[in-house]
Structures are given as C-alpha cells and as structure tokens.
Amino acid sequence: MKRQKRECPESSNPFDVLSEEIIFMVLDLLEQNPLDKKAFSLVCKSFYATESKHRKTLKPLRQQHLPAVLSRYPNITHLDLTMCSRVSDASLSSISNACRFNLRSIDFSQSRLLSCSGLLGLAQNCKNLVEIDLSNGTELKDSAMAAIAEARNLEKLWLARCKSITDMGIGCVAVGCRKLKLLSLKWCLGVGDLGVGLVAVKCKEIRSLDLSYLPITNKCLPSILKLQYLEDLVLEGCFGIDDDSLGVFKHGCKSLKSLDMSSCQNISQSGLSSLISGTEGLQQLTLAYGSPVTTSLANGLKKLSMLQSIKLDGCMITCDGLKTIADWCISLRELSLSKCSGVTDEGLSSVVMKQRGLTKLDITCCRKITDASIACIANLCNSLTSFRMESCTLISREAFVLIGQRCHLLEELDLTDNEIDDEGLKSISRCSKLATLKLGICLNITDEGLMHIGKGCPKLKELDLYRSSGITDLGILEIARGCSDLEMINIAYCKEITDASFLSLSKCSQLRTFESRGCPLITSFGLTAIAVGCKQLTKLDIKKCHNIDDAGMLQLAHFSQNLRQINLSYTSVTDVGLLSLASISCIQNITILHLKGLTPSGLAAALLSCGGLTKMKLQSTFKWLLPQPLLEHLEARGCAFQWRDKVLQVSFSFYS
C-alpha cells in the first residue's frame, strides 16, 4: 500500500507534525546556550510545551521564582540553587511537592540559612534524591544532619566547610544513609575520629572520602582502610596523622586509586610506605607541601606500577629523588612540580627521558632549570597536552621556539612571567589545538606575535595578557578575528588598549570573562560594544578604567543580562549607573571602591534594588553612612559585606 502523506489544514501549525522524540533531539543540540532553548520555546505553543517536558536541569535566579518555574518544568532531575543566596522553608516545600518523584540532585552550595524542617521535608518527600551539596553551610548543625539522614537513597553528600557539624550529626548521616558512595567533610572541624569511624563502619559502599583538615588521628584509619570499594581518599592537612600512627598498618586499602596527602608534614617515607602498602592499583598520588622527596621516599613507590599522576607541588626535591621516581613509575602521565625547590636540569631531564608518555607537566617557579630542560621536554614529550612553566626565569627566548616545533598536541600552555618573544609565539602558533594560553607579564611580546596566535590557534578559548605592555589594538584585532570562540580574555594594565580592541572583541559572542582593569583609554563607547556583542558575559572587571561612566552601565543593564560579577572601583560611575545594574537579574557580586560620584542614598537604593546580591565589597566609610536596619535586611536576604579601609590611590603600584 502506498504510504499517504499526513496533510495539515492551512490553519494548523506545520510544526505539529513533528513527533516529541524529534523535538527532543533538536533540544539536545541546544545545550550550550540557554537562550537558544528559550527562543526555541517561543516559536509556538507545542514547542513551549515540549521544551517544558524536555528540561531536566534548572538553575533559578531567585527563590521566589521557584513555584512558577517548577510548575512549568515537571520533569526536573537536577536543581541548582547556587544563584539563590537564601532558600526559605516555603521554597523547600515547593521543591518537595513539585519534584517529589523525579528529583535526583540538588545543589545548595551557595545558599544560606537552610532550616532543619525544610531539609527534613525535602529528604522525606523526594525519595529518589541521590545527590545533595550543602557545602559552605556554616550555620548548619547536627539537627540538619539528622534531617538529611532521612534521605535513605542518598549516594553523594558534600558538606565542605560546614564547621558547626559534630560527630553526632555525621553519625546520624552514617546510620541513615547507608548507600553513600561519596562524602566530603573538608574543613568540618567539629568532626573527629568517632564520626569518621561511624561512616566507615556503616557506609560500606563509600568510594570517595574527603577528610581534608579534620582533627582525626590513627584511631579511625583501620575502619577506613577496610572499605573494600574505596577508590579516592583525601587526607590533606590531617596533622593528627603521623608516622607512628601509620606504622601499625601492614596492609593498605587494595581498592584505592587516588590518594591525596598534601600538607601532611608529619608523614615521611616510612608512614607513606605503610599507608600505600598493598595498594598496587594506585593511579594518582598527591604529596604537595609535605616532607622532602628523597631517594628513600621515592623508593616507597616502587610497587606502584600503575601510578599515572604524581603531584609534589611545594616540596623540596632532591635530584636523586626525581631520578628514582623516573625509575619506578613506568606509567606516569602527569607530573606536577610547581614551586618545588631543588628541581634541576639533571633531575628533570632524567624523568623526561624515561617518561616520554607524559601528557601534563607543571614546572611553575622551578627557577633553576634552563634551556637544557626545555630542549629535552620538547624533543621527548611529544604527547604533552598541558605544560605550565610560569616564572622559569633562566629560560632564554630561543627555548620557546622548540615548544612550538615539537609539542603540537598542546591544549594548555602557561608562559606567565617569562622571556618569550614574537619568534616564540610564531612557533607556538603551530599548536593548533591550543585552548588556553597565558602570557601575563611577558614584556617581550608585541602585536606581531599575537597575529601569529590569531591565525594559527582557532580553538583558543582563554587568553591571559595581564601586564604584557607591548600589546596594542592591532594584536587584539587579530585575536578576535582568528579566535571567535574566545570565552575569557585578560588585558589588565595593557595601557595602550583603546575602544578599538573592545569593538574587535565584541565579535566574540561566547566571551564570558573579561578583565580590563587599568586600561585608562577605554571609554563607555567600547564597553557598549562588548555589552551588545557579548551577551554571555558573566564576569567583568573594569577597575581603574577612569573614563567609563553611567552611559556604559546603562548599556550593560540593557544587554548583559547574564552578568553575575562586576568590579567598578575607580571608575566614573555614579548613583545613576549603579542603580541601573539592578535590572540585571543575575548580578550577585559587586565591588565598588572609591567611586567619587556615589552617595549613601544612591548606594542604598541600588542595594535594595539588586535582589540577588550575595557579596558586596565596599569602602568602610559607607558602613557608618548606611542605615543599620538596611544592612541587617540585606544580610538576612543572603548578602555578605566586605568592608575595605583602602585609601584612595594617587599613584598606581606595579602589583595593584
């Protein structure tokens, strides 16, 4: 039988013939820009309804919007409330009722003043909830943990910096949430051996455990090391653990794949050997800011044949120690030696010669290495995707040419505070996959070098030119032409930059972070171009751009509706410009120091109008000029104030 076409009456919507599955496929392709989905939903009623069903993730700007948006989007599985500085019981009740069956993940990490009753309702009603992030909940106490314990299916719980929680609260979680697989207790200073021990005994399925900076000792370690599924253990800053307490362990945790013992200065090679004994499957080891890396410590790694990543940042390292690591760690892919004293050409070259499969290398502030190391790295490590070498001051201009000639797979390159020049940039422009390039305080580069980068690195997303004083509008023009997907640029204190650069960069529609402090030639005309062209902008720093005034703010208020953070210090903005920013519903963080045109009444009006503020940095004189009830009201609404006594600067220092 010949298939007949489905015909629509002339008055019907032609889009109605599309199935819901096809429309879902279209929406899946619009994940990058939320405005695209919004525009899609406004095409017709059927698209509006289908987009409502399709959305699974929601990030509301205000808690008062929750009832309406939850009613529109019935299938939400992940709710991100980081834009809501305060979440009331009424809002939690709305979530509990609207998302009773579908909600699986909720993020409160930037929310304050959550109540126990609200959390209890959420935990009891949303039976499928598996992830809760309560990080930074400094006001949360054990009663809140008792409420969370009712979420019986919980698998992931973040409690970083919940400093008022004690062993009793964690004990409630351990008893109630037996399915936990990830638990972060970083900086929970009230939790000790008892609470951690209860988690290890009751939550047998734990795979990731972060105990950073907890006052624990060896008492809870036996239970932790018996966790048969534990893969990721973080003991950073656990000063109560030492060699003596670890010496009693004959077998470590066999399932462990990642171990972080940063800043554990009471643990030497003997304690480390005890802890990692039996962990032949370990793949990542972090020993940053700990004991010196000597031959004896490195010898303790000989059985870790599967080790792929070692981070030794801030440690004193001997040449023999590095050589021993090179001998034993045959599968190494990532090596971080940032700010390590004792790193020399001999030691680094010995590692590179035996670890040619390295993909990530960090030698930041290794000030003893020379061109010899760079030549060795460039010739032997052709698989590098990330190379960080900030402030390697003995390396000459010629060495940077080798990087571009050999390391063509680089995606991240940090050359901050180095002697690289235009010839080096010309060579590096061969790295066509480069996405992040940091050239801050590189005083030998000019527009000519940037022209090569613009032509050769079309995938560039982040470019840092902080205080690279040889850059002018010509170089920025070439970057804007060739790197249209740019998301972040820092041109702070590039004092030759004018509005022409802003006009060029306005074509980079994906720009999200723009730092241009200390560019005295910029005016509101240039800022207007950025506001109109870069509608995804979320962070803007125009401190010390003295010629930017209210005209620029009015354009930001109209076009930059995604802006969340702005620094207006030392500009010519007045009450009018500041108040206009209140129309930006996303704005959360504002810094305004030394605005000569700002009055207490104008500031008060702006503060009241910006309903989503979570952080405000102000001159301390305003603390006594603003009504105290106003400040109390704003703090109750979730806004934290930082007061600064910094005097008005007449001359500008190099590091300001």
Side-chain angles (χ1 to χ4, degrees):
M1 178 182 290
K2 186 176 180 180
R3 181 179 294 179
Q4 295 182 345
K5 292 183 179 180
R6 178 180 174 181
E7 297 183 1
C8 300
E10 290 184 3
S11 60
S12 69
N13 187 338
F15 292 121
D16 288 340
V17 302
L18 298 176
S19 69
E20 192 172 80
E21 289 78 13
I22 292 176
I23 299 178
F24 277 9
M25 291 173 65
V26 173
L27 287 169
D28 287 337
L29 300 175
L30 301 179
E31 292 293 339
Q32 188 172 6
N33 186 356
L35 294 179
D36 292 341
K37 283 190 175 182
K38 183 177 180 180
F40 184 94
S41 68
L42 297 176
V43 171
C44 59
K45 289 183 179 180
S46 62
F47 276 23
Y48 184 90
T50 306
E51 194 271 335
S52 297
K53 295 179 184 178
H54 175 269
R55 187 180 289 270
K56 297 294 188 293
T57 300
L58 190 64
K59 189 175 184 177
L61 300 177
R62 302 279 189 278
Q63 68 160 337
Q64 55 265 37
H65 298 162
L66 276 171
V69 295
L70 291 176
S71 175
R72 176 181 172 184
Y73 299 110
N75 298 323
I76 294 299
T77 60
H78 173 68
L79 188 57
D80 184 345
L81 297 175
T82 53
M83 298 289 288
C84 303
S85 57
R86 183 175 182 179
V87 181
S88 65
D89 285 352
S91 296
L92 287 174
S93 179
S94 297
I95 296 170
S96 300
N97 294 327
C99 306
R100 183 183 298 267
F101 302 108
N102 296 320
L103 191 64
R104 294 180 57 81
S105 172
I106 190 164
D107 188 345
F108 293 113
S109 61
Q110 301 298 322
S111 306
R112 302 172 61 197
L113 307 177
L114 297 165
S115 75
C116 300
S117 57
L119 290 174
L120 180 61
L122 181 72
Q124 290 179 334
N125 291 329
C126 299
K127 301 294 185 182
N128 294 315
L129 199 59
V130 294
E131 298 182 12
I132 301 179
D133 192 342
L134 291 166
S135 299
N136 306 304
T138 53
E139 78 285 350
L140 294 177
K141 301 189 184 302
D142 290 339
S143 53
M145 294 301 99
I148 293 299
E150 295 298 317
R152 306 298 185 185
N153 291 314
L154 203 62
E155 296 180 4
K156 297 181 180 181
L157 178 61
W158 290 269
L159 298 172
R161 288 170 292 280
C162 294
K163 299 181 180 181
S164 298
I165 297 172
T166 70
D167 290 334
M168 183 177 295
I170 294 302
C172 292
V173 171
V175 172
C177 305
R178 302 290 186 93
K179 297 181 180 180
L180 272 181
K181 296 179 180 178
L182 179 150
L183 179 62
S184 175
L185 297 174
K186 185 174 184 177
W187 284 110
C188 293
L189 301 180
V191 178
D193 290 321
L194 179 60
V196 174
L198 283 170
V199 169
V201 170
K202 299 294 184 180
C203 304
K204 298 292 188 182
E205 297 183 29
I206 285 281
R207 285 164 169 75
S208 178
L209 188 59
D210 189 345
L211 306 176
S212 301
Y213 298 99
L214 264 59
I216 58 175
T217 67
N218 64 312
K219 294 181 180 179
C220 65
L221 289 180
S223 299
I224 293 174
L225 297 180
K226 289 179 182 177
L227 289 167
Q228 65 183 65
Y229 301 112
L230 186 63
E231 296 180 352
D232 181 15
L233 177 61
V234 183
L235 297 173
E236 179 180 359
C238 293
F239 304 113
I241 300 176
D242 55 25
D243 287 343
D244 293 336
S245 61
L246 293 175
V248 299
F249 299 111
K250 302 300 182 184
H251 302 286
C253 183
K254 295 182 179 180
S255 59
L256 207 60
K257 293 182 179 179
S258 175
L259 176 63
D260 186 343
M261 300 186 66
S262 302
S263 302
C264 291
Q265 298 178 351
N266 296 324
I267 298 178
S268 66
Q269 72 275 6
S270 61
L272 179 63
S273 297
S274 299
L275 189 59
I276 64 177
S277 60
T279 59
E280 285 81 4
L282 198 67
Q283 297 177 7
Q284 299 180 9
L285 179 61
T286 304
L287 301 174
Y289 300 98
S291 299
V293 180
T294 61
T295 303
S296 56
L297 186 145
N299 276 326
L301 309 179
K302 66 171 64 176
K303 295 182 180 179
L304 304 181
S305 59
M306 297 181 66
L307 198 62
Q308 297 180 10
S309 171
I310 302 180
K311 297 181 181 180
L312 304 171
D313 303 346
C315 292
M316 194 285 288
I317 299 181
T318 66
C319 182
D320 289 338
L322 267 183
K323 289 180 178 180
T324 306
I325 288 175
D327 290 335
W328 295 126
C329 304
I330 58 176
S331 302
L332 209 56
R333 295 292 178 268
E334 179 179 5
L335 177 62
S336 185
L337 303 172
S338 174
K339 301 178 182 178
C340 290
S341 59
V343 178
T344 62
D345 288 336
E346 182 183 358
L348 185 57
S349 297
S350 67
V351 173
V352 170
M353 291 177 68
K354 294 184 178 180
Q355 304 293 337
R356 302 189 181 194
L358 281 175
T359 58
K360 295 183 179 181
L361 179 61
D362 189 343
I363 53 173
T364 297
C365 295
C366 292
R367 303 182 188 275
K368 294 181 180 180
I369 66 170
T370 69
D371 293 7
S373 289
I374 301 303
C376 192
I377 292 167
N379 288 325
L380 300 178
C381 297
N382 303 136
S383 299
L384 275 182
T385 59
S386 174
F387 190 19
R388 299 178 181 178
M389 49 177 298
E390 176 183 347
S391 299
C392 293
T393 51
L394 294 183
I395 296 174
S396 70
R397 303 181 186 189
E398 292 74 21
F400 297 99
V401 175
L402 296 174
I403 296 174
Q405 290 176 344
R406 301 285 186 174
C407 304
H408 295 161
L409 299 180
L410 279 174
E411 298 173 7
E412 178 187 15
L413 183 59
D414 186 352
L415 302 175
T416 304
D417 189 21
N418 275 297
E419 293 297 316
I420 186 172
D421 61 7
D422 291 339
E423 282 300 312
L425 287 183
K426 181 179 180 180
S427 180
I428 286 168
S429 68
R430 302 178 187 180
C431 304
S432 59
K433 296 184 178 181
L434 207 59
T436 300
L437 179 60
K438 296 185 178 182
L439 298 170
I441 324 180
C442 291
L443 306 182
N444 299 320
I445 64 172
T446 69
D447 295 333
E448 182 182 348
L450 282 193
M451 291 178 186
H452 293 298
I453 295 297
K455 293 175 181 177
C457 305
K459 296 183 179 180
L460 199 65
K461 294 184 180 297
E462 297 184 17
L463 178 62
D464 186 351
L465 298 169
Y466 173 81
R467 287 194 185 276
S468 293
S469 54
I471 303 303
T472 72
D473 295 331
L474 291 176
I476 300 301
L477 172 62
E478 292 301 325
I479 290 295
R481 280 178 178 171
C483 310
S484 57
D485 292 332
L486 203 65
E487 296 179 2
M488 176 271 180
I489 189 168
N490 186 347
I491 52 173
Y493 299 103
C494 295
K495 296 188 176 182
E496 300 299 318
I497 295 295
T498 72
D499 288 340
S501 288
F502 279 48
L503 289 171
S504 301
L505 290 169
S506 67
K507 305 297 190 298
C508 300
S509 60
Q510 300 301 313
L511 200 63
R512 288 170 169 78
T513 300
F514 194 6
E515 300 187 30
S516 59
R517 67 166 61 188
C519 294
L521 303 181
I522 300 301
T523 71
S524 292
F525 178 75
L527 184 60
T528 297
I530 292 295
V532 173
C534 307
K535 293 184 173 63
Q536 299 303 310
L537 196 66
T538 60
K539 180 180 178 182
L540 176 65
D541 187 345
I542 49 175
K543 178 180 179 180
K544 298 182 182 176
C545 294
H546 308 290
N547 292 318
I548 290 181
D549 55 19
D550 294 339
M553 296 303 100
L554 292 171
Q555 298 304 317
L556 277 179
H558 184 71
F559 293 104
S560 300
Q561 287 299 307
N562 288 309
L563 193 64
R564 298 181 186 177
Q565 180 176 336
I566 188 169
N567 188 340
L568 300 173
S569 303
Y570 300 95
T571 62
S572 298
V573 175
T574 70
D575 295 346
V576 175
L578 184 61
L579 188 58
S580 70
L581 296 181
S583 64
I584 303 177
S585 56
C586 289
I587 199 78
Q588 287 187 302
N589 187 331
I590 302 179
T591 299
I592 41 177
L593 302 176
H594 296 299
L595 292 188
K596 294 181 180 179
L598 186 63
T599 66
S601 58
L603 175 59
L607 289 173
L608 278 173
S609 302
C610 295
L613 279 180
T614 60
K615 184 178 179 181
M616 194 79 185
K617 188 180 292 187
L618 291 165
Q619 199 70 19
S620 59
T621 51
F622 281 111
K623 187 175 184 179
W624 317 113
L625 297 174
L626 294 171
Q628 190 62 30
L630 171 65
L631 296 178
E632 293 174 356
H633 168 73
L634 293 169
E635 289 174 346
R637 206 166 65 180
C639 181
F641 288 91
Q642 293 185 1
W643 304 101
R644 291 291 181 267
D645 291 321
K646 195 172 183 181
V647 297
L648 182 62
Q649 297 180 7
V650 178
S651 60
F652 305 110
S653 64
F654 186 81
Y655 290 103
S656 60

